[in-house]
Amino acid sequence: KVLKIDTYAGSSNQLTETYSGTDQYKSCVAVGPDASATVWCAPYSADKVLKIDTSADSSTQLAETYSGSTLYTSCFSAQSGFFTRHIFCAPYSADKVLKIDMGTGSSTQLTETYSGSNLYASCVSGISNNVWCAPYSADKVLKIDTYAGSSNQLTETYSGTDQYKSCVAVGPDASATVWCAPYS
């Protein structure tokens, strides 16, 4: 069940909808103004995207099904002014980038394929609303072009596992530089 914590009242409760399984979701993004935000969660070991309607205190899963385990751990909304329409999730052990369309309440995967496990654990939005993902156990940085709806890896190669897990975008020109601290 989804847990709601009210920090003003100092109370908590679970929503009524039940989802079965373990390690279901590890990355959620809240989009919208204040308390009426919608929360979108990418599947980790669940098979569907989770949508939490905070104004109605309810949740539901989107129709599309994905198979596998440890699919996605890092998501970022592509900003377009105050409102945004898409959330992109970097593959962790999935083989494709996940795109959540908040306008239609549906999800799909981009066409480009990546192989391996524990690929990307952190992503941030940078210049031109691209999403940048540092390699965790992948060997290259991943760039997600939010306008074109495509992705590609940069040419520089990095070796190792558990490389980068935390990144931040900094700069006056729409976050021109992404900085990532080493994880191991």
Side-chain angles (χ1 to χ4, degrees), residues 17-33:
E17 300 84 9
T18 302
Y19 305 102
S20 61
T22 59
D23 295 331
Q24 296 179 75
Y25 300 96
K26 285 199 176 190
S27 182
C28 296
V29 175
V31 179

Side-chain angles (χ1 to χ4, degrees), residues 1-60:
K1 293 183 178 187
V2 172
L3 176 65
K4 174 185 175 183
I5 302 170
D6 186 333
T7 59
Y8 287 112
S11 63
S12 63
N13 66 290
Q14 290 181 319
L15 301 186
T16 58
E17 300 84 9
T18 302
Y19 305 102
S20 61
T22 59
D23 295 331
Q24 296 179 75
Y25 300 96
K26 285 199 176 190
S27 182
C28 296
V29 175
V31 179
D34 304 325
S36 64
T38 301
V39 177
W40 303 85
C41 304
Y44 182 68
S45 291
D47 62 353
K48 297 181 180 196
V49 172
L50 179 66
K51 176 184 176 184
I52 303 169
D53 183 341
T54 63
S55 61
D57 279 357
S58 65
S59 64
T60 186

Side-chain angles (χ1 to χ4, degrees), residues 34-109:
D34 304 325
S36 64
T38 301
V39 177
W40 303 85
C41 304
Y44 182 68
S45 291
D47 62 353
K48 297 181 180 196
V49 172
L50 179 66
K51 176 184 176 184
I52 303 169
D53 183 341
T54 63
S55 61
D57 279 357
S58 65
S59 64
T60 186
Q61 290 179 314
L62 303 188
E64 299 79 19
T65 302
Y66 303 98
S67 61
S69 62
T70 67
L71 297 172
Y72 300 96
T73 62
S74 185
C75 297
F76 209 91
S77 61
Q79 298 297 329
S80 192
F82 179 74
F83 294 100
T84 183
R85 181 177 170 102
H86 298 113
I87 294 172
F88 292 88
C89 306
Y92 189 67
S93 292
D95 62 351
K96 296 180 180 186
V97 171
L98 178 66
K99 177 182 174 182
I100 301 170
D101 186 324
M102 295 176 289
T104 63
S106 63
S107 63
T108 187
Q109 291 177 312

